[in-house]
Amino acid sequence: QVQLVESGGGLVQPGGSLRLSCAASGFIFGDHAMSWYRQGPGKERELVARISPSGVMRNYSDSVKGRFTISRDNTKNTLFLQMNSLKPEDTAVYYCNAITNYNTGSALYAWGQGTQVTVSS
């Protein structure tokens, strides 16, 4: 069965950095575009970053562009999100998922538990 296990979240001060990881299993990781979503308090889940199966193409939401970097290691079935220059508005639960295609960014599988990122002084 498909499993998506996010980790690496925590409490960080504004301007700080975190690196999130997503361990994926139960599907052919290297054949799928992958994505990071987040859901802040009182907000809908939003797509923040996506990456093509090979990792060559990457795309980010305007709110995180220039600060976050999505990457993947297909030999380890792991997705990463490097988050720099964090802002309080980045506070959210972060989720990973495969997406149906790179351009559309529609989540393919059931959501995991996510990892909490809290940016606060």
Side-chain angles (χ1 to χ4, degrees), residues 21-74:
S21 297
C22 168
S25 62
F27 63 98
I28 304 173
F29 183 80
D31 287 350
H32 287 74
M34 295 293 295
S35 61
W36 284 99
Y37 292 76
R38 69 184 182 187
Q39 187 168 23
K43 299 179 180 180
E44 295 183 355
R45 184 179 280 113
E46 64 170 336
L47 178 68
V48 299
R50 58 193 179 198
I51 186 168
S52 63
S54 69
V56 172
M57 296 187 293
R58 306 172 186 184
N59 189 261
Y60 305 90
S61 67
D62 289 341
S63 63
V64 309
K65 193 174 299 180
R67 301 186 297 118
F68 291 10
T69 302
I70 188 171
S71 61
R72 63 193 297 162
D73 185 344
N74 286 351

Side-chain angles (χ1 to χ4, degrees), residues 102-117:
Y102 178 77
N103 290 326
T104 300
S106 181
L108 186 58
Y109 300 119
W111 302 104
Q113 293 300 306
T115 186
Q116 176 71 53
V117 172

